[in-house]
Amino acid sequence: MYPLWFLLPGAAIFIVLFIVPTFASFYYAFTRWTLFDVEFIGFDNFVTFFTDPQLSKGFTNTLIFGALTAGLKVVLGLLIGVLLTSEIWARGYLRAVVFFPVLVSTVGVGITFQALLDPFDGVINQTLAVFGIDGPGWLTDPNLALYSIIGVDVWRGVGLAALIYMAGLVAIPQEYYEAAKVDGASGWHRFWNITLPLVRPATTTVVILSLIGGLREFQLIWVMTGGGPGFASDVLASVIYKQYAYGFFGLSTAGNVVLFVVVSAIILPLFWWLNRKQTEL
Amino acid sequence: MSATTRRSLMLAAASAAAVSVLLTGCAGGGGDNDPDGPVELTWFQGSGVETNIATAEALAEAFNAKNPDIVIKVDASGPSDSAQLDNLMKTRLATGEMPDMFWYNSGSLLQALNPDQTMLDIAAEDFVSNLDDAWISAVSTEDGVFGVPVQTAGGGGIFYSIPIYDELGLDVPKTWDEFLANSDAIRDAGYTGVELTFGDAWTAQIITLADFYNVWASDNDWAAQYTANEVNFADDPVAVQGFTKLQDIYDGGYLNEDFASALLNDGLEAVTTGAAGHYPMLGFAQATIATNWPENLDDVGFFGIPGDNAEEAGMTVWMPPALYAPANTEHPGAVKEFMAFVASPAGCDAVTEALGATGQYLVEGCTVPDEAPRIVADWAPYFESGHVAPALEFLSPVKGPNLMQINVEVGSGVRDGQSGAELYDADAAKQAQQLGLPGW
């Protein structure tokens, strides 16, 4: 057993760099803070934040973004994972191709897709035009902008989900499949009754990681649309950033506290639930 | 102002500044007669707008040529993104790290820098009396005057294509109805009636902001009442037009097909080369036309956003940015000497030499050269007849930060003008509360 004071250097760094700023932000969330002056104003920032016309939009957009990106990454990640662990041609090359977008900077991805999705000069709509299809304004149509960004985010993040699934899939002992084959189970039955239950730890990891990432997503949205057109693709993180950019530091900090609470309120129970199901298996 | 508590950081910064003054042996104060060689002053600004950097360098060079005792160095290493630059400026001022002088906006954005605490007050200097009164009010608080103008004032309104107007036999509109009729004719002739460029979302605000002259003409005291929360956009039949006019443009079907993704330069190109009849824009953009399409410079004219009364047709004026100094500069004497130069005809001439005729100078005795571009020349009658008002942001500290997003929605037909005005009033209220203004 090591003495407890071995912990001190690490604890000191943790307290100074993480605990203190966290509690300081809880304090500043209750102030009007201009960098020059701090004035305690109670719950006013939270009232403003929750009565803000953008917030209801930003709030629902955050939930849509988190749920859809996490869901699509689970489904597509598992499919790609199964495909790339089976005996297919050029498997190593395809694995690299699927994982590649994870390595590229989010800002770079955003700028690239902003150009590709341009309604008039973009490659995607010009390609559609060759087939006589009049492509929509992917990022300029208020009803479509958020979903276009979701598509790009899934494209960017599915490689990581597939990688986690591949690790989970190769860990499943081949004997189970052989036994099932002997019993006459079809491919679909083997997938449904062996693969799916046994990759549950991987699923838990992918869901939790994607959901936390999705609920906090900012870079891609900011680069591609800036939360626009209008407020159509605003999420909590972009609303918070805008308040900060306008110099409303107290209000922005209150938004961060709200985001922290929202992410915790969704992730913690989900994490507990997913892990509980896992131990019951 | 409501009671506020000074942040301890300010105290720390102030004592650090005091110590550094002691250590450097009280270099502050004199400046002009320094026995140890010339005083070096640093002028800090963002790297975003090239003509701004050229202006600063022209002023520094002209001053350095005449004043060997004081050397001005321009440091344009700040971020090009305006939100980042704003926050860097605030942090540097709050911590006492701002160089001797800096370039920043005049008007409502100045208030967020807390000038009473952070900036050098020049109210008592002689050169301030040479400055235009409207200008002084755009760089002042109740307790002081803080900046001198570094460029010219110019109009915001509608750029129009003179070849299209000539071809269709149109006259410059004096009322909003005439403007819509002209736009109808231009659209029916196969051109874009009104070019909009929401790819650069800030350009969506021009109709609303430049319509302020008409609000001002209906009530000269409107801005003060607005600051006191006694009037607002949604309930005022004149002010609400800043939003409903944008809706009229969408409803009239005048827009360019790619308005949702087009950028500022696309808009300027369209109106300059005769693809679009009208483009709502601020005066500073004429410098871009002069640079990119010099042969078409006289094909673009200007008029203010028309109102209801043809007799009162006027123009909203944008004040130039200003040169300020932080309160803790080590060389206040030298800084004021340079500011006196900037606020003199010699300073104006240095800017004219670098940029040409760009608008109206706000310093007494400054002259604009005769051969001005067509847009600049079109401003002159408004100034001469007195049918001009500063934009609201130079009369009131209240400016809602989400105006551009709201205007994108109104201009795209997602939201009507009335509800856009209501949403903007709520947005402005939020900003006024953050500033701690009384009555909100």
Side-chain angles (χ1 to χ4, degrees):
Chain A
M1 195 63 184
Y2 293 105
L4 203 60
W5 50 264
F6 269 31
L7 196 66
L8 278 180
I13 291 171
F14 185 72
I15 287 169
V16 169
L17 294 183
F18 294 95
I19 303 291
V20 170
T22 302
F23 281 93
S25 72
F26 279 100
Y27 166 70
Y28 283 116
F30 292 96
T31 63
R32 173 164 30 232
W33 178 28
T34 62
L35 286 189
F36 306 104
D37 294 308
V38 177
E39 184 191 352
F40 192 82
I41 53 167
F43 280 95
D44 281 9
N45 282 332
F46 291 92
V47 172
T48 308
F49 209 87
F50 279 107
T51 50
D52 190 316
Q54 297 171 58
L55 187 96
S56 54
K57 186 93 185 167
F59 198 80
T60 38
N61 279 352
T62 302
L63 296 180
I64 293 172
F65 195 96
L68 269 186
T69 52
L72 286 170
K73 281 175 193 172
V74 166
V75 174
L76 296 176
L78 180 57
L79 290 180
I80 294 170
V82 169
L83 187 73
L84 295 183
T85 47
S86 59
E87 297 295 326
I88 59 161
W89 178 78
R91 190 172 67 176
Y93 171 75
L94 287 176
R95 283 182 178 182
V97 167
V98 167
F99 192 69
F100 172 72
V102 178
L103 305 174
V104 184
S105 119
T106 311
V107 174
V109 170
I111 293 173
T112 308
F113 271 90
Q114 197 186 25
L116 295 179
L117 292 169
D118 186 286
F120 297 94
D121 305 328
V123 173
I124 292 176
N125 275 5
Q126 284 184 347
T127 310
L128 288 175
V130 171
F131 300 101
I133 301 168
D134 201 8
W138 298 101
L139 297 174
T140 55
D141 180 343
N143 297 318
L144 208 58
L146 185 71
Y147 299 97
S148 303
I149 303 171
I150 286 175
V152 176
D153 185 69
V154 171
W155 174 85
R156 186 180 63 96
V158 77
L160 192 63
L163 187 79
I164 294 168
Y165 271 118
M166 280 188 263
L169 287 165
V170 296
I172 300 173
Q174 286 301 313
E175 290 83 357
Y176 294 172
Y177 291 105
E178 284 157 19
K181 263 187 207 164
V182 170
D183 289 344
S186 68
W188 172 249
H189 279 119
R190 291 197 298 270
F191 174 76
W192 192 253
N193 294 314
I194 300 173
T195 309
L196 211 52
L198 291 180
V199 291
R200 186 157 212 125
T203 307
T204 305
T205 310
V206 172
V207 168
I208 297 291
L209 282 182
S210 315
L211 205 53
I212 293 179
L215 293 173
R216 295 166 59 235
E217 181 59 53
F218 168 72
Q219 288 182 50
L220 200 60
I221 291 171
W222 195 252
V223 171
M224 291 179 73
T225 63
F231 306 106
S233 60
D234 256 331
V235 293
L236 273 178
S238 67
V239 172
I240 291 165
Y241 178 78
K242 282 198 243 175
Q243 308 301 342
Y244 158 77
Y246 304 149
F248 304 167
F249 300 109
L251 189 60
S252 171
T253 312
N256 268 316
V257 170
V258 171
L259 181 61
F260 174 82
V261 171
V262 167
V263 173
S264 309
I266 293 174
I267 296 297
L268 289 179
L270 188 70
F271 189 66
W272 173 79
W273 182 74
L274 286 171
N275 278 323
R276 190 189 54 129
K277 296 279 277 191
Q278 195 175 310
T279 52
E280 276 176 3
L281 271 172
Chain B
M1 292 288 280
S2 53
T4 54
T5 53
R6 291 278 299 272
R7 200 177 159 211
S8 54
L9 184 60
M10 274 303 289
L11 291 174
S15 49
V19 169
S20 73
V21 168
L22 288 175
L23 291 177
T24 50
C26 286
D32 37 337
N33 291 320
D34 198 321
D36 300 328
V39 176
E40 193 174 295
L41 300 179
T42 303
W43 176 347
F44 178 75
Q45 65 179 97
S47 56
V49 184
E50 279 169 32
T51 47
N52 291 353
I53 299 168
T55 305
E57 278 171 351
L59 284 166
E61 204 173 301
F63 181 81
N64 289 340
K66 285 187 199 163
N67 297 272
D69 300 341
I70 305 170
V71 177
I72 312 288
K73 281 181 65 181
V74 176
D75 171 14
S77 64
S80 60
D81 176 82
S82 64
Q84 281 179 30
L85 184 62
D86 281 7
N87 281 324
L88 179 66
M89 295 266 186
K90 284 173 195 164
T91 313
R92 286 199 168 179
L93 285 169
T95 55
E97 295 292 321
M98 182 63 89
D100 306 287
M101 297 181 293
F102 59 100
W103 170 301
Y104 196 68
N105 304 66
S106 54
S108 65
L109 287 169
L110 169 66
Q111 305 298 327
L113 294 189
N114 212 4
D116 289 340
Q117 281 177 32
T118 60
M119 291 191 196
L120 186 69
D121 181 7
I122 54 170
E125 303 302 314
D126 289 342
F127 59 81
V128 173
S129 59
N130 297 336
L131 300 174
D132 182 88
D133 286 342
W135 165 261
I136 291 175
S137 69
V139 288
S140 302
T141 65
E142 281 174 13
D143 298 322
V145 180
F146 301 97
V148 290
V150 284
Q151 283 170 343
T152 55
I158 312 271
F159 288 10
Y160 71 99
S161 164
I162 294 170
I164 292 181
Y165 264 58
D166 288 346
E167 180 194 327
L168 303 176
L170 302 174
D171 293 321
V172 168
K174 300 270 189 196
T175 67
W176 186 248
D177 289 337
E178 288 174 25
F179 172 76
L180 293 180
N182 282 1
S183 300
D184 280 331
I186 295 168
R187 179 200 58 201
D188 294 344
Y191 301 106
T192 297
V194 182
E195 177 89 10
L196 291 179
T197 52
F198 292 170
D200 281 326
W202 65 267
T203 65
Q205 309 171 92
I206 308 298
I207 293 275
T208 303
L209 297 178
D211 194 44
F212 181 71
Y213 167 80
N214 295 307
V215 182
W216 179 85
S218 76
D219 178 358
N220 286 187
D221 200 31
W222 200 88
Q225 295 172 42
Y226 182 64
T227 307
N229 198 16
E230 288 161 7
V231 293
N232 62 28
F233 280 90
D235 299 328
D236 185 309
V238 180
V240 76
Q241 290 180 21
F243 293 87
T244 55
K245 283 174 180 173
L246 189 55
Q247 186 193 344
D248 288 344
I249 291 172
Y250 178 81
D251 290 346
Y254 307 130
L255 295 183
N256 43 314
E257 188 187 28
D258 61 347
F259 73 92
S261 59
L263 303 175
L264 169 68
N265 270 3
D266 301 326
L268 291 172
E269 181 170 15
V271 74
T272 305
T273 57
H278 300 121
Y279 183 43
M281 192 25 65
L282 300 184
F284 85 92
Q286 57 89 15
T288 309
I289 295 179
T291 309
N292 292 358
W293 303 279
E295 68 280 9
N296 296 98
L297 193 53
D298 289 328
D299 289 348
V300 194
F302 173 91
F303 54 86
I305 307 263
D308 298 326
N309 181 353
E311 302 297 309
E312 286 287 314
M315 164 174 94
T316 307
V317 174
W318 262 260
M319 293 292 167
L323 176 67
Y324 303 99
N328 67 343
T329 174
E330 287 176 25
H331 310 286
V335 165
K336 285 172 183 170
E337 212 167 305
F338 179 61
M339 283 186 168
F341 170 77
V342 173
S344 73
C348 299
D349 291 345
V351 175
T352 306
E353 203 173 312
L355 300 181
T358 56
Q360 189 87 2
Y361 285 105
L362 300 168
V363 179
E364 207 174 286
C366 287
T367 48
V368 183
D370 290 335
E371 332 76 78
R374 174 62 192 257
I375 291 171
V376 175
D378 281 351
W379 295 339
Y382 293 109
F383 281 115
E384 283 158 15
S385 66
H387 284 142
V388 287
L392 182 56
E393 65 197 80
F394 302 105
L395 299 175
S396 168
V398 182
K399 182 172 189 276
N402 286 309
L403 179 60
M404 67 176 81
Q405 286 87 355
I406 294 167
N407 275 340
V408 165
E409 292 195 334
V410 174
S412 313
V414 174
R415 182 185 289 285
D416 66 32
Q418 178 67 38
S419 85
E422 285 163 14
L423 192 58
Y424 181 61
D425 284 335
D427 193 42
K430 189 167 70 177
Q431 192 247 8
Q433 286 159 8
Q434 288 294 315
L435 288 176
L437 296 179
W440 291 80

